[in-house]
């Protein structure tokens, strides 16, 4: 167990590089199982806890996976197993994107129900709806999903998702690539990670049109080949560094941040008074004082991303006036609020809406991260707080932010990472 100690109050300055996107890399790793022969090479795969868990799962299924820094090579020819181990599946939600590829390749898959951040009930009904439409017989019981394709294999179909689920869209796309005939996914998720997956699958030989729109059309092919692919930059990590820069009144260039993937964040920050200029290499952020209050609703892409809701709330505490945040994607995503209040934040939560009364004089405190983006929010708040903040639950941060403390240090932050003594008290506000 590690903890992070932050002495706040330093304006961040310099350049930070966005890593490859975790949420793109995870389904790409799952999709690498679709290549029967050859070696898939993925470049710019972030070295994160979730990625390590997915690599472990691929190996447990029989794939040969070699990692060299951010380059991952997957040889899946002998990946003949179709029942990933429960303990590892439970570690991350994205493990469930193995279901589509396993079903498409083996005609069979046995998956434990997935884990991940505890930010809502996170049902799997849309994944089931999509795979059943393709002809899969699915049985759910005792924490397991058992899926079987008919003897003639999966068949293309119209899949009308009730919710534009990212994971369900990815599972449907991967399964449909090897199904017979044409599949149309309507109300598909439009996130940049969906487009990245489509580019990867098309390079492998799949026929996919419309990725990035609510209607995706896939014509099945008999087989897919291994390719080399570079993962897109992480818009959530980049956005977190942009928010951190704004929080400290700093001047930071976020290298590889793609404005086309981050319109909703850029619009929100601009309305708060943050100045940004983007070029082909990234986005430069400069934040004058004071910042204006802001009202934001989270929404599926291209709306404001739920994954930036928590760090954005930390920034709203710096703004002058009353801001509101409405969380419209997940029903239990305000676990950072109690800890932000412990640091001096004035926040009321009613249902899906948080009201923030700024500007708040934030002070360092002992806080505990409860999930990945909550950890990012506490870190952002701590960077601007007076005095010292000690944050436990750092393993959550490690799931989504590569070398976070070291990168913030290069921007001038006073941040150290140490081991928690075995008997140390971990603050709980539950
Ligand atoms: C992905 C991202 C996560 C992000 C989320 C929303 C990965 C690994 N994770 O998660 O960081 O916060 O998108 O942008 O890419 N839903 C259903 N039924 C389903 C599936 C989902 O009702 O079968 C609901 C969920 O409860 C949630 C909403 O749909 O309210 C969005 O979930 P979804 O898009 O599926 O998120 P994930 O793919 O799990």
């Amino acid at each position: 167990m590690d903890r992070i100690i932050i002495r706040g109050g330093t304006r961040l300055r310099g350049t930070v590089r966005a890593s490859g996107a975790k949420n793109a890399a995870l389904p790409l790793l799952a999709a690498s199982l679709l290549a029967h022969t050859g070696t898939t090479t993925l470049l710019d795969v972030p070295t994160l806890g979730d990625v390590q868990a997915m690599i472990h799962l691929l190996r447990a299924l029989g794939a040969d996976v070699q990692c060299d820094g951010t380059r991952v090579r997957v040889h899946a020819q002998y990946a003949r197993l179709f029942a990933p181990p429960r303990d590892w599946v439970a570690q991350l939600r994205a493990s469930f994107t193995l279901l589509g590829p396993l079903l498409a390749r083996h005609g069979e898959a046995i998956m434990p129900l997935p884990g991940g951040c505890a930010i809502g009930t996170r049902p799997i009904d849309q994944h089931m709806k999509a795979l059943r439409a393709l002809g899969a017989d699915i049985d759910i019981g005792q924490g397991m999903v058992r899926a079987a394709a008919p003897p003639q294999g999966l068949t293309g179909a119209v899949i009308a998702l009730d919710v534009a689920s990212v994971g369900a869209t990815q599972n449907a796309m991967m399964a449909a690539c090897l199904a017979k005939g044409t599949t149309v996914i309507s109300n598909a998720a439009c996130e940049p990670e969906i487009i990245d997956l489509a580019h990867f699958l098309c390079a492998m030989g799949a026929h996919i049109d419309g990725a990035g729109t609510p209607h995706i059309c896939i014509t099945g092919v008999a087989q897919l080949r291994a390719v080399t692919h570079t993962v897109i930059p992480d818009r959530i990590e980049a956005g977190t560094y942009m928010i951190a820069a704004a929080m400290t009144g700093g001047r930071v260039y976020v290298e590889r941040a793609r404005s086309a993937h981050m319109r909703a964040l850029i619009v929100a920050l601009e309305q708060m008074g943050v100045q940004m200029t983007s070029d082909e290499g990234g986005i430069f952020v400069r934040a004058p004082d004071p910042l204006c209050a802001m009202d934001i609703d989270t929404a599926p892409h291209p709306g404001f991303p739920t994954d930036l809701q928590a760090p954005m709330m930390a920034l709203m505490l710096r703004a002058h006036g009353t801001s509101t945040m409405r969380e419209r994607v997940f029903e239990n995503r305000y676990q950072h609020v109690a800890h932000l209040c412990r640091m001096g934040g004035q926040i009321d939560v009613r249902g899906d809406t948080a009201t923030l009364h700024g500007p708040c004089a934030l002070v360092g405190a002992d806080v505990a991260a409860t999930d990945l983006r909550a950890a990012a929010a506490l870190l952002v708040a701590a960077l601007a707080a007076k005095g010292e903040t000690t944050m436990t639950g750092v393993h959550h941060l490690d799931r989504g932010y590569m070398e976070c403390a070291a990168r913030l240090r290069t921007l001038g932050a006073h941040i150290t990472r140490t081991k928690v003594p075995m008997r140390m008290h971990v603050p709980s506000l539950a």
Side-chain angles (χ1 to χ4, degrees), residues 348-408:
D348 306 314
V349 176
R350 260 196 206 172
D352 64 2
T353 304
T355 307
L356 301 93
H357 309 279
C360 301
L362 295 176
V363 287
D366 288 353
V367 291
T370 49
D371 63 73
L372 169 55
R373 306 303 169 188
L378 299 179
L379 196 58
V380 166
L383 288 169
K386 189 162 185 247
E388 202 169 87
T389 297
T390 300
M391 184 173 89
T392 51
V394 176
H395 60 284
H396 291 294
L397 199 65
D398 294 338
R399 292 187 45 219
Y401 294 89
M402 194 169 135
E403 300 154 358
C404 186
R407 288 182 185 196
L408 285 171

Side-chain angles (χ1 to χ4, degrees), residues 14-76:
T15 298
V16 64
R17 183 179 185 274
S19 317
K22 166 180 88 75
N23 287 352
L26 294 170
L28 292 174
L29 285 165
S32 67
L33 287 178
L34 291 167
H36 285 248
T37 56
T39 300
T40 296
T41 303
L42 292 173
L43 304 172
D44 240 326
V45 177
T47 50
L48 297 168
D50 277 11
V51 169
Q52 290 311 316
M54 185 60 105
I55 288 171
H56 190 92
L57 280 163
L58 294 182
R59 287 183 177 140
L61 291 167
D64 177 25
V65 187
Q66 305 292 331
C67 303
D68 177 11
T70 57
R71 186 180 70 171
V72 177
R73 291 160 62 85
V74 183
H75 184 71

Side-chain angles (χ1 to χ4, degrees), residues 144-363:
M144 301 295 283
V145 177
R146 291 178 172 78
Q152 72 277 15
L154 299 174
T155 308
V158 174
I159 300 171
L161 294 177
D162 305 306
V163 180
S165 156
V166 175
T169 302
Q170 291 165 339
N171 256 331
M173 285 166 72
M174 292 187 277
C177 278
L178 293 179
K180 287 185 192 71
T182 300
T183 296
V184 176
I185 308 171
S186 68
N187 196 24
C190 302
E191 271 68 3
E193 293 76 20
I194 299 283
I195 302 175
D196 200 34
L197 177 61
H199 285 158
F200 177 67
L201 292 169
C202 287
M204 293 173 86
H207 294 164
I208 304 175
D209 287 317
T213 77
H215 296 278
I216 302 179
C217 183
I218 302 158
T219 306
V221 295
Q223 59 181 21
L224 297 171
R225 57 180 173 272
V227 293
T228 296
H229 179 86
T230 303
V231 179
I232 56 169
D234 195 317
R235 64 196 166 97
I236 305 301
E237 185 203 35
T240 304
Y241 286 121
M242 289 165 66
I243 291 169
M247 186 74 184
T248 62
R251 298 163 71 98
V252 173
Y253 184 64
V254 185
E255 215 172 82
R256 302 204 330 142
R258 285 193 191 171
S259 54
H261 292 174
M262 306 173 74
R263 292 254 177 261
L265 173 68
I266 290 171
V267 168
L269 289 175
E270 268 170 1
Q271 288 181 10
M272 291 180 86
V274 179
Q275 294 166 6
M276 283 157 291
T277 42
S278 47
D279 56 33
E280 280 189 4
I283 301 177
F284 178 72
V285 182
R286 189 159 65 94
D289 228 8
L291 293 178
C292 309
M294 180 68 197
D295 300 324
I296 294 176
D297 287 9
T298 65
H301 192 77
F304 190 90
T306 173
D307 286 349
L308 286 175
Q309 174 254 100
M312 194 65 177
M313 279 180 63
L315 182 63
M316 284 169 157
L317 295 176
R318 223 203 108 193
H320 288 242
T322 300
S323 297
T324 58
M325 177 64 81
R326 215 149 60 110
E327 173 52 56
R328 306 291 307 277
V329 179
F330 290 108
E331 68 271 22
N332 184 25
R333 211 168 196 184
Y334 281 132
Q335 294 180 53
H336 48 287
V337 166
H339 291 270
L340 287 177
C341 291
R342 185 186 264 247
M343 297 176 75
Q346 290 186 33
I347 310 171
D348 306 314
V349 176
R350 260 196 206 172
D352 64 2
T353 304
T355 307
L356 301 93
H357 309 279
C360 301
L362 295 176
V363 287

Side-chain angles (χ1 to χ4, degrees), residues 33 56-63 78-85 98 102 106:
L33 287 178
H56 190 92
L57 280 163
L58 294 182
R59 287 183 177 140
L61 291 167
Y78 305 109
R80 298 205 173 115
L81 302 174
F82 50 83
L98 288 166
L102 287 175
H106 303 292

